[in-house]
Amino acid sequence: MKIIDITSKLPFAKSNGTMKKDAIELLVVHHEGVKTPIFYDTVKRIQLDAAYHVSKGWGHISYHYMMDNVGDIYKCVPETEICFHAGNLPVNKKSIALCVQGNYETQTLNSLQKRALTEFCDYIFNRRPDLPKLVRNGLKTHQEVRLNGTACPGKNLIPFVNSLKKV
């Protein structure tokens, strides 16, 4: 698993507020909801997503991390920045958001993505003493935390995320 910091390459119009690392309790997994082609420029795609989120008045991209179709993970904003991702403000104020590029209502995770998501969860839950409240039972899908319902992160990603809760 590779984590690539691209925070300086993304628009950041304003802060949505901050949270302390010791208050973070959840890792919420999303999907982009847009089919990914086989080959694409990941950073450019994230920059377009970020510009769209800023245009909606959200201050910056709404995910702390994004994962592409080859399992590379991109850090988009600091973990202490509140992101508007959950459709549930109390959840936004105590969570880290990871968005997997693609539409997992129609696509399926490949082996590289499965390995990267597994390794990322291991990293977040087991090797981060600076996140003391973030434990494995804090792994949630967007569907589990959104107040008004959603298909996100898609019927083909939800079972894999659920399997990681039991590791």
Side-chain angles (χ1 to χ4, degrees):
M1 172 196 66
K2 239 185 341 187
I3 298 177
I4 303 157
D5 187 338
I6 61 168
T7 55
S8 66
K9 296 180 179 181
L10 301 178
F12 192 101
K14 66 179 180 177
S15 174
N16 297 325
T18 59
M19 54 189 163
K20 294 183 184 208
K21 283 190 176 185
D22 63 4
I24 297 170
E25 299 177 7
L26 304 170
L27 171 62
V28 180
V29 178
H30 301 261
H31 74 153
E32 195 178 29
V34 179
K35 186 171 175 35
T36 52
I38 294 172
F39 301 105
Y40 62 96
D41 182 331
T42 301
V43 174
K44 185 69 171 168
R45 189 174 176 123
I46 295 171
Q47 288 171 327
L48 291 170
D49 285 343
Y52 174 70
H53 291 189
V54 168
S55 78
K56 293 182 72 77
W58 297 343
H60 49 74
I61 195 163
S62 292
Y63 310 110
H64 297 91
Y65 295 94
M66 291 191 80
M67 184 173 74
D68 67 12
N69 66 338
V70 295
D72 289 336
I73 296 175
Y74 295 80
K75 182 177 181 182
C76 300
V77 294
E79 292 170 343
T80 54
E81 178 66 23
I82 294 171
C83 290
F84 296 150
H85 65 92
N88 181 332
L89 188 56
V91 168
N92 291 341
K93 290 181 174 183
K94 63 180 181 182
S95 62
I96 293 173
L98 169 69
C99 180
V100 181
Q101 291 183 327
N103 180 348
Y104 295 94
E105 280 294 300
T106 59
Q107 293 176 263
T108 57
L109 288 176
N110 63 45
S111 61
L112 295 172
Q113 292 171 305
K114 287 179 180 179
R115 185 174 74 222
L117 189 51
T118 301
E119 290 175 3
F120 185 75
C121 285
D122 178 59
Y123 164 72
I124 284 289
F125 296 122
N126 300 324
R127 294 186 275 148
R128 294 290 303 273
D130 59 323
L131 300 170
K133 289 186 178 176
L134 187 56
V135 295
R136 182 96 30 195
N137 67 1
L139 178 60
K140 303 291 181 190
T141 65
H142 186 200
Q143 188 177 75
E144 291 176 279
V145 299
R146 184 168 171 87
L147 294 175
N148 297 325
T150 180
C152 180
K155 65 184 179 191
N156 297 320
L157 179 51
I158 290 170
F160 187 74
V161 173
N162 287 339
S163 76
L164 294 175
K165 294 177 184 183
K166 300 171 185 144
V167 173

